[in-house]
Amino acid sequence: MEFFDLTTGDDNVTLFPGFASPANGAPYAPGNAVRSLEGNDNTTGSEANDDINGNLGNDNVAGAGGDDFMRGGQGNDVVQGNDGNDQVNGNIGNDTVDGGGGNDVVRGGQNEDIINGGDGDDTIYGDIGVDTLTGGSGADVFVLQANRGTDIITDFRTEDSFGVIAGDLDVANLNITASGGDSLIVDKISGQTIAVVQGVDVGTVQSQLQGSTATRRLRVIADSGATAGGITSPSLNPTGQWSNASVTPGTGWSADGFITTTSESLVFSYKPDGNGFEQISLNIDPSNSGGLRFAASSYGYLLPPGISFIPIVEVPLVTTGNLLSANLTFADNNNAASLQGTLLIS
C-alpha cells in the first residue's frame, strides 16, 4: 500500500488522480492510503475508491463516488461517505458520521457520536460511548453491543432490524422495558442499558429482536393468601408447564416459577376444591418480565353451580403500561357480589 500524506498544518484538498502532493510526495493515485496527519483538515475524496484517515485534529473527511474507507482519526471530526457503499468510522472523539448514499457500514468509534446511515440499507454501530443513531431511509441494521455504552436510536421503523454479533450478546439475556414512549433494551446480566429506542413500543422491539412469534420468558408469583368458603387446597397451573416452579398446596398456597409464552396472555387452568370464594394475587417479577405487563389490575371469574369441570382462565398481558400486579377473584353465585370492581372473565 502506498501512502499519500498531507502536511502537518490545516489542509484543504479535493482528491483526483494525479493530484499534486501538498507534502511534495508523489501525485495521488487511486488506491493510495491518504493520511491527513496533524491539523484541522478538510479532505474530500475522488470518484474512485478512496482510503482517507483524518488522524490528528478536528477534521472534515468526505467521500465522493466509489466505495470508500473513511476514518476521522483523533479529534472531533465530521466524516461523510456520500455516494457508494462506504465504510465510515468516526474513530476517537465526539464525531458526526454520515454514510450518505449506498449501503454503508457506519461506526461511531469511541466517545459520544452522532451517527446517520443516510440513504440505502446501512449497518450502524454506536461502538463505545453514548451515541445517537439515525438510520435514515432504507432497511437499516442497528447493531447491539455489550459493555460499550448506550445507543439512542431515533428512527427505528418496521423495515429496520437489530443485529447481534455472535459471542458478544445473547438476545435471551435482554429485557425490553417501556420508558415513557420509548423502549429500553437492557442486558439482564450486566444491568447495562444497551439502547433507547425512541418512539417505538416494547412489542415492536421484542418482535424485531426475536421474530413475529417471539418467545417471552417471565417469572410469575401466584399467591392465594387467606381462603374463604372452605377452599383450602386449590390448584393453579398455566396450560403447559411452569419451568422450575415451586408449588405448595393448602391454605396460603403459592406458585413461583418461570413461564415461557409466545402470546401476550397467561392462560390458566384452575380447579377450586368446591364452590365458594377464592382470591389469587399474581405478580410479574420486573427483572424477568419479558417486557410484559398486566392489562388490568383485577379480574373475576363466576363459577357455575356444582362445578364439575376445570375452567380455563386467560389473563391478558400487554407491552405498555406499568402494572406488574393483578388480582384474580373466583366466586360462586352466593359470593357473586365479591366480583364487583373486577373485570369479569367469562
Side-chain angles (χ1 to χ4, degrees), residues 47-328:
E47 295 299 320
N49 301 331
D50 300 307
D51 179 341
I52 303 176
N53 191 332
N55 277 314
L56 300 177
N58 301 325
D59 306 307
N60 292 309
V61 180
D67 301 334
D68 305 311
F69 182 25
M70 301 287 174
R71 287 93 74 209
Q74 298 184 38
N76 302 326
D77 308 306
V78 177
V79 188
Q80 299 171 290
N82 289 323
D83 294 337
N85 301 324
D86 307 307
Q87 297 183 59
V88 187
N89 192 328
N91 216 332
I92 301 172
N94 300 326
D95 306 307
T96 300
V97 187
D98 192 324
N103 303 326
D104 308 306
V105 178
V106 188
R107 308 189 70 133
Q110 298 184 36
N111 301 106
E112 298 181 0
D113 307 305
I114 298 173
I115 306 165
N116 194 323
D119 296 335
D121 302 336
D122 306 305
T123 302
I124 303 172
Y125 297 75
D127 290 324
I128 299 172
V130 179
D131 306 305
T132 302
L133 280 55
T134 302
S137 63
D140 303 309
V141 178
F142 295 91
V143 180
L144 304 176
Q145 300 170 283
N147 302 313
R148 287 170 177 81
T150 301
D151 294 328
I152 301 170
I153 301 173
T154 67
D155 69 338
F156 191 90
R157 297 158 302 153
T158 54
E159 59 265 39
D160 298 329
S161 60
F162 297 104
V164 175
I165 300 172
D168 179 58
L169 198 63
D170 187 349
V171 172
N173 291 327
L174 298 180
N175 261 343
I176 317 301
T177 61
S179 177
D182 306 329
S183 293
L184 307 182
I185 302 177
V186 181
D187 186 345
K188 290 190 289 187
I189 295 177
S190 66
Q192 174 203 357
T193 298
I194 293 173
V196 178
V197 188
Q198 293 184 333
V200 180
D201 64 86
V202 168
T204 298
V205 172
Q206 189 78 43
S207 66
Q208 289 288 353
L209 275 172
Q210 299 183 340
S212 58
T213 57
T215 299
R216 296 182 173 93
R217 186 170 183 263
L218 63 159
R219 182 186 179 209
V220 178
I221 301 96
D223 193 339
S224 72
T227 60
I231 309 301
T232 59
S233 56
S235 61
L236 178 69
N237 295 287
T239 55
Q241 294 183 350
W242 295 86
S243 174
N244 301 319
S246 175
V247 181
T248 305
T251 302
W253 65 268
S254 64
D256 180 351
F258 287 90
I259 298 172
T260 300
T261 178
T262 57
S263 65
E264 292 184 1
S265 63
L266 290 177
V267 181
F268 293 99
S269 59
Y270 174 79
K271 186 176 182 179
D273 191 15
N275 293 334
F277 172 78
E278 178 72 22
Q279 287 185 319
I280 298 170
S281 66
L282 296 175
N283 294 279
I284 296 175
D285 182 352
S287 63
N288 291 280
S289 68
L292 296 173
R293 301 290 189 270
F294 290 111
S297 61
S298 187
Y299 297 92
Y301 196 100
L302 181 61
L303 301 172
I307 183 171
S308 60
F309 63 94
I310 300 176
I312 302 297
V313 180
E314 183 171 353
V315 180
L317 300 172
V318 296
T319 56
T320 57
N322 56 6
L323 289 174
L324 294 171
S325 298
N327 290 318
L328 284 177

